[in-house]
Each structure stands twice: as C-alpha cells, then as structure tokens.
Amino acid sequence: MADLSYKSLLETNNYLRQLSDTTYWLCITRTVQESKLFPMNPYMLLSYLNTFYRLPTQLREIDAATPAEELGDRAREVSLKVDTVNAAWGMPAFYLIGREMLMNWGLLGPADAVEDVVDVLDFSRRFNLAYHRNDGHMTNKEFGDRSQFLPERTLQVFESDLHGVVPGDRLHTAATKLVAQLSQYAFLAHCECRIGLHNSGPYNFGDNRQLIVRDFFELTEGDYPWLDGIATQLPFGNLTIPIVFKDTNFNLMDDWASFEAEPSYDASNIAAVGMYTSDALTDGYQPVGMENAEKLAETMESYREILNAATADLWKRIAGWSREQMIDAGALVYSSVAKDFAHLAGTYRQDDWFQLDDRVQRFKPLMNDEYGRDDLGEMVGLLGFPHQKTSEYTMARYSGLNQNMLTGVPYSVLTDDDFAPTAGSSLSGSSSLDPKTGLWTTSAGRLELDEYNRRARGFTPSAQAPEFRYLDEEWVKRHYTSDRANALYELAQRDSRTLQGKGAGLLRADLQGNG
C-alpha cells in the first residue's frame, strides 16, 4: 500500500503531468483509428473504468512477486507485450482517464483513491525507468520521440545475422507480404486497435541505413478467449521482425509506437530482414527460420498462409457476436494491457483480466455510439470537462490553454481525511464472451495455465542473473576486454548464426553485415 508523503506526491504529480501532456499531444496529432465493426468509443470508455477499478489490486500482487523495476529489466532485453504502447504509456494513461470519467460524473473527488493513484504511478514510473535504462529517459516523448531500449549486444546480433534483400527477390517479397498480413490479423485480433502491434527504434546501422524493430503479439491461442482454435498451426504467439531500411530517416517513434519517416515508409527501401520470437519464458530473442535466406522466406510464406486463413476464421467468429460481446471484447483488450506483467511474475489468473468489473457493468446503458463519441472527444480532445480547467493564468504545454487532460492529486491529503483512500481490493465481474478453454501458446509449447505460471515463477533470464543485471552500456564501454563483458555478450550470441562466442569488443565494422 502507498506510503503517502510529500515526496511521493511530488513524484506522482510530476509523472501524472508528463502523462497528461504526452497523451494530449498523441490524441491531437496522431492518426485516430475508427472501426466499422466494433463500437470503439463505448468499449474504450468502459475499458478505462475497468482499469481504474482493477489495476491497483492487480499491480500490487505483481509488484510483491516481481518488482516493477525487475520487470522493466526483463522487457528491455526482448520484445514483450509490456511495451511502449501497452505498459509504458497505456497502462497508467488508461487508469488515469478512468479516474477523469468518474470525477466528471461527480462520483470521485481528486483526493479519492489517492493510495491507488500513487501505487499505480509509482509502479509505472519504476518500470519505465528500467525499461528505458539504455537511453536514460522516461518516455519516447521525453527522448524526442525515439525508442532505443535494446542493448548493443542484441543489436550486433541483428546486424550480423539479418539477411540482405533486394526488391523482387523471394525473401523481400515474403517479408513484405508477411508484415502486411500480420498487421491486418493483429489489428482484428485486438478488436481493431493497435495494441497488438509495436515498433521501436530507429537504430543507426551506418551508410544511411536505420533499423526499426516490428513486433506482433497474441497471434494464436493465449489470453484472448476468441483466439481459442485460431491459427493453431503457428508455433509461437509473438513474432519480431527487425527491418533495415536504406535512405530512410525515421524521425518519429512515439509512445503509441507509431512512426513517421522521410521519405515515407517504402518497402522498396528494405535492405535486410530477420525474424525472432520471445515471451515470458525465452532467454533472449529466439531466431525463427534464420538459418539462411531461403529458409526464412519459406517460413515467412508458411506463416502468411496460416494467418491468411486465420484472419478469415476470426472474421467469421466475430461476425456472430452481439454488440455487447464486441464491446466486452474491446474493453477487455484495452483494460488488460498490463496482463503480461502477471505472466512474467507467474501470477496470471484469467478472470482477473478478462471480466468487466461489476462496478463497470452499471455504466453500460450509457454507452451508445453517440455518447461514447462525444464523451471521449470532450475528455481527451477538447478538454471540456469543467474540472479540467486550471487557473486563468495557466498555459498548458501543447495547447496553450488553461486546461489539462489529467487531474493532479491535491497535497491536502497529507493533512485532511475527507477522502476514500482506495477503490477497494475485491474484484468481482463478468463477461458476455464465451469462456476461455484453449491452452497458452509459449516458446516452450502449448501449456496449461498452472504450468505456465509455474515455469514463469521459476525462470530468470541469464542476462538478469546477479552477476550481469547491473552491467549497463556505460560499464561495458570501460570493461569490454573483461571476462564478465565477454560472458554477457556471449549470452546474446548463443543462437547467432555468425557471432556465436565472439564476445564483447566488436565494432560495427567487424560484423558480417558490414563485411
């Protein structure tokens, strides 16, 4: 439970204001997705409420099992769904937007649930600091809209092992088509939102080349009940496709993990590609079909065929849903953005993450399309709620107006007692969706949930062992000739086709990709 102090509230309000400014900027400048199938605005609003009521209890259990900063260290080494758009931005933002909704309705005051607010933002802040340890920032926005969390040892393996392509060859064609199919499928599987997609980078690969890392999550049976029996021929639930572009400058990689480039993203500028998988049980990135270019092309073509059929199967399943089921599914996709923390900690329970809280169910009658559109637009675009106003002398960071999207915690909670400290820890809920019956797809095979949790609780990646955890890029720069540095780099090189056993001390000019 939160230790309320002046220091903790100063940190809370500082981080809250950063999130408020960044979220406003994202909402007014980035592409807004709409759906002809899902009632997105109603499901988004319900998801924020579900996050508000449930997330503090969920995070306290996770934090007790595996501290947030350790989870950030884990996420920094590979591609996990606790990423920029889900955990780093989405988790705290969704929670705080749910708080704004309740304040607008007069059901909550700014001092209420203060212990929950402090705990959620403290967890989020510690995770983000560890996740972004290599670039030293809290968010992509703070870093000038860049996302460079991977260590040098991983990037060296990528650069050396990725297969070169030219437009029109088999691998270039296979990669381009697979990325398009993955994007379409992941978008549908996540109720037509971007939560299943992630992009990071750019990383400098020299000679006017840049690497971006593209991730696709929840591709087959896992947490989402509606994916039971879908794409079961895929051996992995997550895929990572690092792509090297020539003559392209990725000048923006924001906290929604979307990007902009000059010139714009063009497949004809792809110079090299690869494919990997990772999850809560992998010790680093695991190469997929990387033995040679032909094998990779063959694997990508096979996966595309599987996903093409799976997309049709999933469309048919969703087409049979009622409006309420579509709303529930979308709301649960959004409100479960932090669920993979529970997988990492080995504390995951399906009902914790895939039920709408009873306190949320009471608001469903409000959520027609018109109300959802207008309420969301007023709250995150126009900032028109009366309680979002500040002093007439104030000028917000991006709008210049005396309005803030998110409301701070009053420091009077340190001396007053006229507030409810928490929303409570008892979770009770339901869903109109069919219950989950399938297995969980992992790098260790398809597992029952109890076995998945057991393995996760007993697993520590090699790079997180006590002798390696605190050996950061600054340390390596001064100790690259040491045995410990070599051992650390050899961990990342274990499955490399070209760098196995080479250790530390390599420069980019030494890599096969630059030979």
Side-chain angles (χ1 to χ4, degrees), residues 56-321:
T57 299
Q58 293 164 334
L59 291 187
R60 287 176 186 127
E61 180 184 20
I62 292 166
D63 203 23
T66 308
E69 55 272 27
E70 183 176 331
L71 295 166
D73 288 342
R74 293 278 301 274
R76 191 181 62 246
E77 292 290 332
V78 290
S79 295
L80 300 171
K81 208 177 180 185
V82 284
D83 53 24
T84 303
V85 67
N86 287 293
W89 169 79
M91 179 188 74
F94 294 172
Y95 172 80
L96 292 170
I97 294 172
R99 177 173 174 257
E100 293 298 313
M101 292 174 64
L102 293 167
M103 280 193 280
N104 179 54
W105 290 333
L107 299 176
L108 200 73
D112 289 325
V114 59
E115 293 180 357
D116 295 345
V117 175
V118 171
D119 279 348
V120 168
L121 294 190
D122 175 64
F123 182 102
S124 177
R125 186 172 56 86
R126 287 183 286 125
F127 167 76
N128 269 305
L129 287 170
Y131 180 48
H132 290 279
R133 188 177 85 176
N134 286 330
D135 63 54
H137 297 86
M138 180 83 79
T139 63
N140 289 6
K141 171 57 67 180
E142 185 181 275
F143 189 23
D145 291 302
R146 293 182 183 275
S147 179
Q148 298 175 359
F149 56 85
L150 291 175
E152 179 191 60
R153 59 187 183 275
T154 299
L155 295 167
Q156 286 184 342
V157 171
F158 282 170
E159 181 165 13
S160 189
D161 283 3
L162 297 189
H163 295 288
V165 297
V166 295
D169 72 21
R170 183 184 181 188
L171 180 54
H172 182 278
T173 301
T176 302
K177 289 184 176 181
L178 178 60
V179 167
Q181 185 68 63
L182 282 164
S183 299
Q184 180 189 38
Y185 174 79
F187 202 64
L188 177 62
H190 290 77
C191 302
E192 301 205 327
C193 76
R194 68 186 85 206
I195 282 173
L197 311 171
H198 187 251
N199 301 290
S200 58
Y203 299 94
N204 179 25
F205 267 36
D207 299 324
N208 204 26
R209 298 178 305 155
Q210 293 182 5
L211 171 81
I212 64 170
V213 181
R214 309 205 64 182
D215 303 307
F216 305 88
F217 300 106
E218 308 268 3
L219 301 176
T220 182
E221 290 184 325
D223 298 333
Y224 294 163
W226 52 91
L227 293 186
D228 283 351
I230 300 291
T232 54
Q233 293 169 282
L234 275 183
F236 308 111
N238 307 326
L239 289 174
T240 292
I241 301 182
I243 306 177
V244 178
F245 283 81
K246 64 179 182 180
D247 304 325
T248 305
N249 177 37
F250 288 87
N251 55 13
L252 183 144
M253 192 73 69
D254 65 27
D255 289 282
W256 281 355
S258 56
F259 56 77
E260 291 180 358
E262 296 178 354
S264 60
Y265 186 107
D266 187 338
S268 66
N269 286 326
I270 294 176
V273 298
M275 187 160 64
Y276 299 82
T277 191
S278 56
D279 60 26
L281 301 179
T282 57
D283 201 351
Y285 284 104
Q286 304 299 303
V288 178
M290 288 290 289
E291 294 90 334
N292 54 62
E294 284 299 304
K295 178 63 175 178
L296 181 57
E298 178 185 336
T299 304
M300 287 183 163
E301 290 164 354
S302 172
Y303 287 4
R304 178 176 174 266
E305 289 179 5
I306 294 169
L307 289 166
N308 185 51
T311 302
D313 292 340
L314 188 55
W315 268 111
K316 293 174 185 176
R317 177 170 293 179
I318 292 172
W321 283 356

Side-chain angles (χ1 to χ4, degrees), residues 276-442:
Y276 299 82
T277 191
S278 56
D279 60 26
L281 301 179
T282 57
D283 201 351
Y285 284 104
Q286 304 299 303
V288 178
M290 288 290 289
E291 294 90 334
N292 54 62
E294 284 299 304
K295 178 63 175 178
L296 181 57
E298 178 185 336
T299 304
M300 287 183 163
E301 290 164 354
S302 172
Y303 287 4
R304 178 176 174 266
E305 289 179 5
I306 294 169
L307 289 166
N308 185 51
T311 302
D313 292 340
L314 188 55
W315 268 111
K316 293 174 185 176
R317 177 170 293 179
I318 292 172
W321 283 356
S322 66
R323 175 184 170 86
E324 183 178 20
Q325 287 176 310
M326 289 189 180
I327 288 176
D328 282 5
L332 292 169
V333 165
Y334 258 55
S335 65
S336 67
V337 291
K339 66 182 176 59
D340 280 54
F341 283 133
H343 280 307
L344 289 168
T347 63
Y348 183 87
R349 290 183 295 272
Q350 185 73 6
D351 285 351
D352 285 357
W353 298 96
F354 283 88
Q355 289 186 346
L356 281 180
D357 198 276
D358 290 339
R359 292 165 290 185
V360 176
Q361 297 282 1
R362 59 185 170 160
F363 296 109
K364 270 188 177 177
L366 282 174
M367 299 300 169
N368 59 42
D369 291 335
E370 292 75 17
Y371 180 84
R373 177 199 63 208
D374 294 347
D375 189 65
L376 189 62
E378 193 79 15
M379 178 169 53
V380 305
L382 298 174
L383 307 186
F385 290 170
H387 76 270
Q388 292 177 314
K389 292 284 188 182
T390 62
S391 161
E392 293 175 314
Y393 298 101
T394 302
M395 299 173 65
R397 179 178 180 184
Y398 293 110
S399 69
L401 303 174
N402 64 323
Q403 299 162 191
N404 287 312
M405 182 184 295
L406 304 175
T407 303
V409 176
Y411 294 96
S412 59
V413 297
L414 297 173
T415 56
D416 298 343
D417 59 6
D418 186 20
F419 59 88
T422 175
S425 59
S426 178
L427 304 184
S428 176
S430 60
S431 165
S432 63
L433 296 163
D434 292 336
K436 176 166 178 60
T437 58
L439 300 175
W440 274 258
T441 305
T442 76

